[in-house]
Amino acid sequence: MGLKINQNLVNDNTGKALADLCPFKAISYENGKLDINAGCKLCKLCVRTGPSGVITFEEEKVELINKDDYKGVCVYADSDHGVIHKVTFELIGKAIELAAVIKHPVYALLIGDNCKENVNELLSYGVDKVFVYEDKALADFDMERYSNCFADFIENIKPSSILVGATNVGRCLAPRVAARFHTGLTADCTRLEMKENTDLVQIRPAFGGNIMAQIINPNHRPQFCTVRYKIFDAPKKVAEVKGEAEYRTVKPEWLKSNVEVVEIVEKPKELDISESDVLVAVGRGIKTAEDLEMVKELADLLGANIACTRPLVEANIFDAKHQIGLSGKTVKPKLIITLGISGAIQFVAGMKDSGCIISVNSDPNASIFDVANYGIVGDIYKVVPELIKKLKEAR
Amino acid sequence: MNIIVCIKQVPGTSNVNVDPVTGTLIRDGVASKMNPYDLNAVEMALKLVEENGGEVKVVSMGPPAALEVIREAIYMGASKGVLVSDRKFGGADVLATSYTLCSGIKALGDYDLILCGKQTTDGDTAQVGSELAEHLDIPHACYVKSIKQEGKKLEYVQNLDSKIVTARINMPCLMCVDSEINTPRLPSFLKKKENGDCQNKIQILTFNDVEDKDETHYGLKGSPTQVERIFEPDKRKDKEMITDGDLAKKTYDILKSKKFI
């Protein structure tokens, strides 16, 4: 399996064309020789759109797994320190949709202590079966203990897909367990679909650019993915609880740990932009930190919180808690006004599902206008002060 | 304390686009740089070594051009580096990448601590560090804000979702550091002059040099996930563009009609 160069078809024309075509600069053509280096991401662009037959993709026969051995779409119930994170319910909603396509049961995996209330809550959202690992030593998140319980669940229950919330805990735990089973993990999916053959279709922004990738695990189970908070919607609670809980035995040897907790402190309540109903977001269109005054004034008039793009955090203009995007928060406010934001996919992935998007940018071709409900093509330094004036007049 | 830091070369900007006509990827020619989050990890490693003694080594996986970020780390203060580079490693997903990095780490000898950045700015997955720890069978912690040595253990402060956790962990271990925990130092001009192209300090590891020669563990073959297709993000069809007239008034009218004011 891999790319094969058919040297007999290589000439100055095809060689140069291929070297230019590769977006990762992984193809070189020098002294009549075509070469592919370690920069290759196997996007297969050279195979599909390059001169025909020069670079081909060689498939190799692999032994196929029996996908019927794996049943169930499972949601990991993120319950660090006893409280279930709301992303869990959003994932249950999606898991119910996905499982319906292949007529699989919906599972939840809960690890913790004093789990009864949490079990009932999970069942109330329509989960068919909650698998519970309960022990005093599991009250707080511990990487090794939690991954041992998780591994037992996979070995014995053999779920087909596992959805994990991309919380800080989920982002530590999911890869650790996925690696243990040498299976695939797709982080920060923004869309999930199910194929008839139980392959989970995972869609996320990729290659660090304005591109979406559709990813599958064609020959590995379970299929792991993480999804951020506020990507999907939580389902309504069911009228009648039909699911049940299965308490699994926790073996003492799973509870060994290399980590000893000294202290756990509740984080002070701080601004969480993912909970805001109205946001004013600023990007590189802001020229200096002083210009933020007008942004603050606008936000105050609209009862909004201020959010920003990654470059403004890197420039130390904002604290990271204000950042929207793949390395910041995902937001879904009723209204978001973006000011001077071009709309890089990493940003857009974190806000595109907002209720109403009004974008102001002077570049009519800015990609933010691809997701905006209302695109205002203009200078923020003119539009914002005038808008502030109008809002004040109306008071 | 011997520390290995995992670093990656990423594109200078993230402006990769799909050509709407041909469907091909267009990447502008902006130079590559070290993943900014890795700079925080390198800085933390150098500080720890300044306080406790030892040395900092770096490992990276990528094309030959990635030698540049290893040199940058050496100019910052790392003692040596390994680049794991081979076409056979290409097309690697999180699992194959973390497995391949293991080979580079083994080539660097004994270590007490492995540090990774929070995530990369091109892949944005934040998963490689955790998978690496699993392959190496060592304990790990993510979103670490500070580290200090306490005898044979390391005491760290970790940013979990609603809690700040202080804990002690046995060595050897791996930690992924949070962003904004420090200000990374600049590469030293003196070290640059001293080391030049760092030829004696950098080792390049190809497929022929790694211990495990099973090709199905690396690159595309070792990657359970496969990209089925790539496409442009959806564009909104029902959008309204406002390009002339009193833009502020029209914006105000939208806010009013939608009952936001």
Short mmCIF file of all heavy atoms in Angstrom, two decimals, chain A residues 208-229:
data_model
loop_
_atom_site.label_atom_id
_atom_site.label_comp_id
_atom_site.label_asym_id
_atom_site.label_seq_id
_atom_site.Cartn_x
_atom_site.Cartn_y
_atom_site.Cartn_z
N GLY A 208 -4.89 21.61 8.53
CA GLY A 208 -4.62 22.97 8.96
C GLY A 208 -5.08 24.02 7.97
O GLY A 208 -4.54 25.10 7.90
N GLY A 209 -6.10 23.70 7.22
CA GLY A 209 -6.54 24.69 6.24
C GLY A 209 -8.04 24.76 6.14
O GLY A 209 -8.75 24.20 6.96
N ASN A 210 -8.51 25.47 5.12
CA ASN A 210 -9.95 25.63 4.97
C ASN A 210 -10.54 24.44 4.24
O ASN A 210 -11.16 24.57 3.20
CB ASN A 210 -10.25 26.93 4.25
CG ASN A 210 -9.97 28.11 5.17
OD1 ASN A 210 -10.07 27.98 6.39
ND2 ASN A 210 -9.60 29.23 4.60
N ILE A 211 -10.31 23.27 4.79
CA ILE A 211 -10.72 22.03 4.14
C ILE A 211 -11.35 21.13 5.20
O ILE A 211 -10.89 21.08 6.32
CB ILE A 211 -9.49 21.31 3.56
CG1 ILE A 211 -8.79 22.21 2.56
CG2 ILE A 211 -9.89 20.00 2.91
CD1 ILE A 211 -7.38 21.80 2.32
N MET A 212 -12.40 20.43 4.79
CA MET A 212 -12.98 19.44 5.68
C MET A 212 -12.53 18.05 5.22
O MET A 212 -12.41 17.81 4.02
CB MET A 212 -14.51 19.50 5.63
CG MET A 212 -15.11 20.86 5.95
SD MET A 212 -14.74 21.41 7.62
CE MET A 212 -15.91 20.41 8.53
N ALA A 213 -12.29 17.15 6.14
CA ALA A 213 -11.94 15.79 5.78
C ALA A 213 -12.99 14.84 6.31
O ALA A 213 -13.48 15.01 7.43
CB ALA A 213 -10.57 15.42 6.35
N GLN A 214 -13.34 13.87 5.48
CA GLN A 214 -14.27 12.81 5.89
C GLN A 214 -13.43 11.58 6.20
O GLN A 214 -12.72 11.06 5.33
CB GLN A 214 -15.25 12.55 4.76
CG GLN A 214 -16.22 11.44 5.08
CD GLN A 214 -17.34 11.39 4.07
OE1 GLN A 214 -17.81 12.43 3.60
NE2 GLN A 214 -17.77 10.20 3.72
N ILE A 215 -13.49 11.14 7.44
CA ILE A 215 -12.57 10.10 7.92
C ILE A 215 -13.34 8.87 8.37
O ILE A 215 -14.39 8.99 8.99
CB ILE A 215 -11.73 10.67 9.10
CG1 ILE A 215 -10.86 11.84 8.59
CG2 ILE A 215 -10.86 9.60 9.73
CD1 ILE A 215 -10.35 12.75 9.67
N ILE A 216 -12.82 7.70 8.01
CA ILE A 216 -13.43 6.46 8.50
C ILE A 216 -12.36 5.52 9.06
O ILE A 216 -11.17 5.70 8.82
CB ILE A 216 -14.22 5.70 7.40
CG1 ILE A 216 -13.32 5.49 6.18
CG2 ILE A 216 -15.49 6.42 7.03
CD1 ILE A 216 -13.85 4.46 5.22
N ASN A 217 -12.81 4.54 9.82
CA ASN A 217 -11.98 3.45 10.33
C ASN A 217 -12.42 2.20 9.60
O ASN A 217 -13.25 1.45 10.12
CB ASN A 217 -12.27 3.22 11.81
CG ASN A 217 -11.42 4.06 12.71
OD1 ASN A 217 -10.25 3.79 12.88
ND2 ASN A 217 -12.03 5.07 13.27
N PRO A 218 -11.92 1.94 8.39
CA PRO A 218 -12.52 0.86 7.61
C PRO A 218 -12.31 -0.53 8.19
O PRO A 218 -13.09 -1.43 7.94
CB PRO A 218 -11.85 0.99 6.24
CG PRO A 218 -10.64 1.82 6.46
CD PRO A 218 -10.87 2.64 7.68
N ASN A 219 -11.24 -0.71 8.97
CA ASN A 219 -10.94 -2.08 9.41
C ASN A 219 -10.49 -2.16 10.88
O ASN A 219 -9.68 -3.01 11.23
CB ASN A 219 -9.88 -2.68 8.48
CG ASN A 219 -9.87 -4.19 8.52
OD1 ASN A 219 -10.90 -4.82 8.71
ND2 ASN A 219 -8.69 -4.77 8.39
N HIS A 220 -10.99 -1.24 11.71
CA HIS A 220 -10.65 -1.27 13.13
C HIS A 220 -11.89 -0.99 13.97
O HIS A 220 -12.72 -0.18 13.61
CB HIS A 220 -9.56 -0.25 13.47
CG HIS A 220 -8.21 -0.62 12.95
ND1 HIS A 220 -7.86 -0.44 11.63
CD2 HIS A 220 -7.14 -1.19 13.55
CE1 HIS A 220 -6.62 -0.88 11.46
NE2 HIS A 220 -6.16 -1.33 12.60
N ARG A 221 -11.97 -1.63 15.11
CA ARG A 221 -13.04 -1.39 16.07
C ARG A 221 -12.42 -1.44 17.46
O ARG A 221 -11.47 -2.20 17.66
CB ARG A 221 -14.13 -2.47 15.94
CG ARG A 221 -14.94 -2.43 14.64
CD ARG A 221 -15.80 -1.18 14.57
NE ARG A 221 -16.64 -1.13 13.37
CZ ARG A 221 -16.27 -0.64 12.19
NH1 ARG A 221 -15.06 -0.14 12.03
NH2 ARG A 221 -17.12 -0.63 11.18
N PRO A 222 -12.97 -0.71 18.44
CA PRO A 222 -14.04 0.27 18.27
C PRO A 222 -13.54 1.53 17.56
O PRO A 222 -12.33 1.76 17.50
CB PRO A 222 -14.45 0.58 19.70
CG PRO A 222 -13.23 0.30 20.51
CD PRO A 222 -12.53 -0.83 19.84
N GLN A 223 -14.48 2.32 17.05
CA GLN A 223 -14.13 3.56 16.37
C GLN A 223 -14.29 4.69 17.38
O GLN A 223 -15.39 4.95 17.85
CB GLN A 223 -15.07 3.77 15.19
CG GLN A 223 -15.28 2.51 14.37
CD GLN A 223 -16.44 2.61 13.40
OE1 GLN A 223 -16.32 3.25 12.36
NE2 GLN A 223 -17.56 1.99 13.74
N PHE A 224 -13.18 5.35 17.68
CA PHE A 224 -13.20 6.41 18.69
C PHE A 224 -13.31 7.78 18.04
O PHE A 224 -12.61 8.06 17.07
CB PHE A 224 -11.87 6.41 19.45
CG PHE A 224 -11.87 5.61 20.71
CD1 PHE A 224 -11.44 4.28 20.70
CD2 PHE A 224 -12.26 6.18 21.90
CE1 PHE A 224 -11.41 3.55 21.88
CE2 PHE A 224 -12.23 5.45 23.08
CZ PHE A 224 -11.81 4.14 23.07
N CYS A 225 -14.13 8.64 18.60
CA CYS A 225 -14.06 10.03 18.18
C CYS A 225 -14.32 10.93 19.38
O CYS A 225 -14.93 10.51 20.36
CB CYS A 225 -15.05 10.32 17.07
SG CYS A 225 -16.74 10.25 17.58
N THR A 226 -13.80 12.14 19.31
CA THR A 226 -14.15 13.13 20.32
C THR A 226 -14.93 14.26 19.64
O THR A 226 -14.74 14.54 18.46
CB THR A 226 -12.93 13.73 21.06
OG1 THR A 226 -12.15 14.48 20.13
CG2 THR A 226 -12.07 12.65 21.68
N VAL A 227 -15.84 14.85 20.41
CA VAL A 227 -16.68 15.93 19.90
C VAL A 227 -16.74 17.00 20.98
O VAL A 227 -16.89 16.69 22.16
CB VAL A 227 -18.11 15.44 19.58
CG1 VAL A 227 -18.97 16.58 19.06
CG2 VAL A 227 -18.09 14.29 18.59
N ARG A 228 -16.64 18.25 20.57
CA ARG A 228 -16.66 19.32 21.55
C ARG A 228 -18.08 19.63 22.03
O ARG A 228 -19.06 19.31 21.38
CB ARG A 228 -16.07 20.57 20.93
CG ARG A 228 -14.65 20.39 20.65
CD ARG A 228 -14.18 21.41 19.67
NE ARG A 228 -12.84 21.74 20.03
CZ ARG A 228 -12.47 22.88 20.56
NH1 ARG A 228 -13.34 23.84 20.78
NH2 ARG A 228 -11.24 23.08 20.88
N TYR A 229 -18.10 20.28 23.16
CA TYR A 229 -19.35 20.78 23.74
C TYR A 229 -19.96 21.79 22.78
O TYR A 229 -19.25 22.57 22.16
CB TYR A 229 -18.99 21.43 25.08
CG TYR A 229 -20.13 22.04 25.86
CD1 TYR A 229 -21.37 21.43 25.90
CD2 TYR A 229 -19.94 23.22 26.57
CE1 TYR A 229 -22.39 21.99 26.64
CE2 TYR A 229 -20.95 23.78 27.32
CZ TYR A 229 -22.19 23.17 27.34
OH TYR A 229 -23.20 23.73 28.06
#
